[in-house]
Amino acid sequence: RRPPPPPPAAATGGEAAASWAGKLAGAVPWKAAVSGALALTLSFSCFVGLANAKAGVNKPELLPKEFTTVIDVAGFLSSGQENRLRQEIEDLEKDTGYKLRVLAQNYPDTPGLAIKDFWQVDDRTIVFVADPTFGNIINFNIGSLIDLDIPQSFWSRVAGKYGNMFYWKEKGEDASIEGAVMAISRCLREPTGASNCSEVF
C-alpha cells in the first residue's frame, strides 16, 4: 500500500489570497446555459481574469477612502441610486444579518482582491459584481452559510433575468443592478423553507 501523501504546507498571505480567488475561479460555470438561464458564478473571475485567475488583480487604490457597501468604479449608478442601494443593503443587514456588497466595474479596472479585506468578506456575505465584460453583467460570490439557506437556482435565475445582455443593453446597467439587489433583498427576507426564493420578481 502506498503511504498517504503529506499534508499541504501552510500558504502565505499572498498565496492564500490567490488561492481563494483561484479555487473560486475554477468553478466559472457562468458561461454555460442551464435551462435557458446562466449558471451561478461562484467565483471572482471578473476580478482576476479567466485566463490566469491565480495571478489576481489587486488595486486597493481604486477603493473609496471610507467604508461603503456599494462601490461603483464603472460609473453605472447615479449618486441617488447609490444612496438608495446603500439604504436597502443597510436595512437588509439589520433585519437578516446577511451582508450584501455591490461592486460595479469594467474588468480590469477593479479593486480586485483588495475588496475581500475592505468588506471583510465572510460566510454570511454576498459579493455582487456587476461587470459587462463577459456578456452577463451579474456575477456572485456566495458565503457558505447563505448557501445553506438559499437554493443555488435562485442566483442563476437572478443572473438570467437581470444580467442577460439584452436586458442591460436595453434598460441600462443601472437597471440590472437595482433589479438584482431588490430581488436578493426580497429573497433573503423570506422565511427559510422548501419553497423560499422560488420566484424572481
Side-chain angles (χ1 to χ4, degrees):
R1 297 175 58 185
R2 294 180 180 179
T12 65
E15 290 170 341
S19 173
W20 175 74
K23 285 188 292 185
L24 289 170
V28 138
W30 65 272
K31 280 190 172 182
V34 178
S35 300
L38 290 179
L40 169 65
T41 303
L42 290 176
S43 75
F44 278 170
S45 59
C46 42
F47 298 161
V48 298
L50 295 175
N52 191 8
K54 291 189 178 182
V57 171
N58 190 38
K59 299 180 179 178
E61 66 271 15
L62 294 181
L63 292 170
K65 300 300 182 185
E66 297 182 359
F67 179 83
T68 177
T69 56
V70 179
I71 300 174
D72 181 16
V73 294
F76 294 148
L77 302 166
S78 69
S79 58
Q81 288 171 317
E82 283 193 44
N83 289 335
R84 285 196 299 272
L85 291 177
R86 288 191 191 99
Q87 188 61 57
E88 182 67 31
I89 290 168
E90 180 182 329
D91 292 344
L92 176 67
E93 189 169 345
K94 188 183 303 180
D95 294 342
T96 68
Y98 293 123
K99 301 194 299 183
L100 176 60
R101 304 292 182 257
V102 178
L103 171 64
Q105 65 174 40
N106 269 308
Y107 182 84
D109 294 325
T110 168
L113 298 173
I115 68 157
K116 186 185 179 189
D117 290 333
F118 181 80
W119 277 335
Q120 297 184 332
V121 174
D122 59 20
D123 291 341
R124 297 185 67 83
T125 306
I126 303 156
V127 177
F128 166 20
V129 182
D131 188 331
T133 304
F134 303 112
N136 192 296
I137 196 172
I138 292 179
N139 306 274
F140 297 111
N141 180 68
I142 312 298
S144 59
L145 293 180
I146 297 169
D147 253 350
L148 296 176
D149 295 335
I150 308 301
Q152 288 193 2
S153 59
F154 168 76
W155 307 105
S156 63
R157 289 197 301 273
V158 172
K161 179 171 182 177
Y162 293 111
N164 74 80
M165 190 179 297
F166 300 103
Y167 187 95
W168 64 260
K169 281 195 170 182
E170 177 183 349
K171 299 180 181 296
E173 296 92 344
D174 56 335
S176 288
I177 295 168
E178 288 188 301
V181 167
M182 295 311 298
I184 294 167
S185 181
R186 284 189 291 266
C187 165
L188 294 179
R189 294 175 187 277
E190 290 185 17
T192 303
S195 61
N196 68 312
C197 304
S198 58
E199 297 185 30
V200 174
F201 298 102

